Amino acid sequence: MKKVPYRNQFSKILGLTLIAFLFYTVPATAQDDASGEVAAADAGDAKKGKALFNQNCAACHALNRKMTGPALANVEARLSEEEGLDKEWLYSWIKNSPGMIKSGDPYANKVYAEYNQAAMTAFPTLTNEDIDNILAYTAAPPPAAPAAAAGASDGASGTAAQAGGVSNEIILGALVLVFGLLVVMLLLVNKTLQRIAQANGVIVEKEKAEKGLPLWKAFAKNQFLVLVTAILLLLGSAYFAYGWMMQVGVDQGYAPIQPIHYSHKIHAGDNKIECKYCHSSARVSKHSGIPSLNVCMNCHKSIYEYTGNPEGPSQEDLENGYTNEFYTGEIKKLYKAVGWDETNQKYTGESQPVEWVRIHNLPDFAYFNHSQHVSVAGVECQTCHGPVEEMEIMYQYSSLTMGWCIDCHRETNVKVEGNEYYEKIHAELSKKYGVDNLTAAQLGGLECGKCHY
């Protein structure tokens, strides 16, 4: 009887304590959340910072290695700990680095001298918030390599493929079983019919073939068949011999292995690099030219490794060994050829020529001018060289035979817009042929002397 009031009192005390705990805990939690949000806002957005970094900084800086400028991973923390510089110094440096150098700032001049007095571009249009976002990106831990995810994906794919294989085996086994049952049924039906025939006194005899001349002797005695066969064999042999001889000197499909693997698929396809950026002489010269390696280094001073597409390498690329490590290794071959020291970011002077293997090679008696076709006629590179932007290994797409060129001249209209040289000729020949648009053939594109002289 005495325990009941005690229990009620204990329950009230416990309830009041719980209410008080919740009352004090909720504001504290809200305060922590608010302070966390303020801290997050002050830290910046790493995702936005990555976009700003790639747009403004990546040409000269990397996160974890020296390039034209210093590595920027954890740059805010490092400057604070090693040099005692705060974020305000970074704001001033990024917005007006030349001004800080002229003002005599010690660390600004130290960096300027260390990196061969390479002037850093000033970014006065970047706000403090933009810089905070960039610093947040440089301070963020590197993303996990997609190997684990890829492995899991491959495992799932493998499991699915295995399950699909088991299912196919079951279906195949069922079909074999049905076929076997049909064969057994046919044998039983045949045996039953033979028994019925024997019961009815019917004798089944196999027909014996009449003895006659062998087939080859009968054929040899028929002179007409021999003559027709000989004519067909001669015509067929001449056809195949002509086809084989017409392929002599035609290297369509030729795809040699180059000393440095260069993927047009990545450069012209994924990165949309204009063909004439590398083959600049195609606009003004007979030859398209082989790009010098300094053209490659315009980009690859900064691009020292291949990180691949966001979607990752395709299954076909993996089967052919085209991994990120493979492409990075080819970039190292380029550095060795030009004598580029990655660590010190300068040329050593020890270069070696790259022995590229020529793919497209016209006979010496055939004249072809790239500038006439590219600059004057406005012919796209893909017209002759095919979908270069899709080629992992460059190959000869067209046959480049005389007949192929003539067909193109017969079918292609002359581009006269913006070309005063052709206006008068085009007007006169249009009246002569009674057409609105002239083809290259009608303009003299089939004259022997145009290509052979």
Side-chain angles (χ1 to χ4, degrees):
M1 296 295 294
K2 292 181 180 180
K3 294 181 179 179
V4 174
Y6 176 75
R7 286 179 179 176
N8 290 336
Q9 186 179 5
F10 179 76
S11 299
K12 290 179 181 179
I13 293 172
L14 182 61
L16 290 173
T17 303
L18 181 61
I19 292 172
F21 176 76
L22 292 174
F23 179 77
Y24 287 105
T25 302
V26 171
T29 305
Q31 186 176 1
D32 291 342
D33 292 342
S35 61
E37 290 175 0
V38 172
D42 185 62
D45 188 336
K47 186 175 181 181
K48 292 180 180 178
K50 180 179 180 181
L52 289 167
F53 182 91
N54 291 336
Q55 181 180 353
N56 300 288
C57 313
C60 301
H61 296 277
L63 292 179
N64 297 309
R65 59 174 283 156
K66 293 167 62 176
M67 291 176 57
T68 306
L72 297 184
N74 296 310
V75 61
E76 181 183 1
R78 287 191 288 109
L79 288 181
S80 177
E81 295 172 3
E82 299 172 6
E83 306 293 337
L85 302 175
D86 57 10
K87 188 179 288 187
E88 292 298 328
W89 187 92
L90 280 169
Y91 290 157
S92 302
W93 170 253
I94 293 172
K95 292 180 180 180
N96 186 16
S97 57
M100 293 191 68
I101 294 171
K102 289 182 180 179
S103 69
D105 184 274
Y107 188 69
N109 282 277
K110 177 183 175 182
V111 173
Y112 182 62
E114 181 181 352
Y115 288 90
N116 301 320
Q117 296 185 347
M120 173 179 164
T121 305
F123 296 97
T125 57
L126 290 178
T127 64
N128 290 351
E129 182 182 356
D130 292 335
I131 297 174
D132 287 339
N133 293 336
I134 294 174
L135 294 175
Y137 169 67
T138 62
S153 176
D154 292 343
S157 302
T159 304
Q162 185 176 2
V166 171
S167 176
N168 291 336
E169 290 176 1
I170 293 174
I171 294 173
L172 182 61
L175 291 174
V176 171
L177 180 61
V178 171
F179 180 75
L181 290 174
L182 288 174
V183 172
V184 172
M185 290 174 64
L186 289 174
L187 292 175
L188 291 175
V189 169
N190 184 34
K191 192 173 182 180
T192 302
L193 290 175
Q194 288 181 356
R195 288 179 179 175
I196 293 173
Q198 290 177 359
N200 293 330
V202 178
I203 300 174
V204 179
E205 293 183 355
K206 294 182 180 180
E207 296 182 359
K208 296 182 180 180
E210 295 182 1
K211 191 175 181 180
L213 288 174
L215 182 61
W216 68 272
K217 286 186 177 180
F219 174 80
K221 288 184 176 181
N222 193 323
Q223 296 181 355
F224 176 75
L225 287 178
V226 172
L227 178 61
V228 171
T229 304
I231 293 174
L232 291 176
L233 287 174
L234 288 173
L235 290 176
S237 300
Y239 173 79
F240 286 107
Y242 175 79
W244 179 82
M245 288 187 289
M246 287 300 294
Q247 294 301 313
V248 174
V250 178
D251 298 321
Q252 188 173 12
Y254 178 53
I257 301 300
Q258 302 290 354
I260 298 178
H261 181 86
Y262 180 88
S263 173
H264 282 82
K265 179 181 177 182
I266 292 175
H267 291 81
D270 297 342
N271 296 318
K272 311 295 182 185
I273 297 177
E274 171 66 29
C275 300
K276 292 184 282 292
Y277 174 78
C278 300
H279 301 281
S280 57
S281 57
R283 293 173 293 191
V284 295
S285 172
K286 172 184 176 182
H287 300 286
S288 63
I290 300 174
S292 59
L293 296 184
N294 70 303
V295 176
C296 306
M297 291 300 293
N298 288 342
C299 298
H300 283 289
K301 276 186 180 179
S302 302
I303 304 173
Y304 54 88
E305 65 177 344
Y306 180 73
T307 56
N309 290 324
E311 299 83 6
S314 65
Q315 187 62 34
E316 181 181 358
D317 289 340
L318 292 176
E319 291 174 356
N320 292 322
Y322 299 140
T323 61
N324 293 356
E325 293 75 16
F326 169 78
Y327 290 118
T328 300
E330 299 304 303
I331 296 175
K332 306 307 178 189
K333 290 182 183 179
L334 170 65
Y335 289 166
K336 183 178 179 181
V338 299
W340 176 251
D341 185 350
E342 289 186 78
T343 305
N344 298 314
Q345 293 288 298
K346 63 181 183 180
Y347 290 101
T348 63
E350 299 177 0
S351 60
Q352 57 188 30
V354 179
E355 298 180 1
W356 299 108
V357 181
R358 185 165 184 170
I359 300 174
H360 305 87
N361 191 14
L362 291 178
D364 293 339
F365 55 79
Y367 175 81
F368 177 85
N369 191 310
H370 270 87
S371 62
Q372 178 70 19
H373 291 77
V374 174
S375 298
V376 179
V379 177
E380 295 292 335
C381 303
Q382 288 79 357
T383 303
C384 301
H385 296 291
V388 176
E389 68 279 3
E390 300 174 4
M391 297 182 186
E392 182 64 41
I393 296 178
M394 185 67 188
Y395 64 92
Q396 182 173 319
Y397 177 79
S398 304
S399 64
L400 304 183
T401 61
M402 180 176 175
W404 180 83
C405 295
I406 288 176
D407 287 341
C408 183
H409 281 191
R410 285 172 174 165
E411 297 170 0
T412 305
N413 291 329
V414 177
K415 184 179 179 181
V416 295
E417 295 81 6
N419 194 335
E420 297 179 359
Y421 176 80
Y422 284 112
E423 284 185 359
K424 185 176 180 181
I425 300 175
H426 186 272
E428 295 297 328
L429 289 177
S430 295
K431 293 179 182 178
K432 176 181 178 181
Y433 292 109
V435 295
D436 295 329
N437 295 314
L438 286 173
T439 63
Q442 292 171 329
L443 200 61
L446 298 186
E447 295 175 5
C448 302
K450 296 288 186 181
C451 304
H452 308 288
Y453 59 91

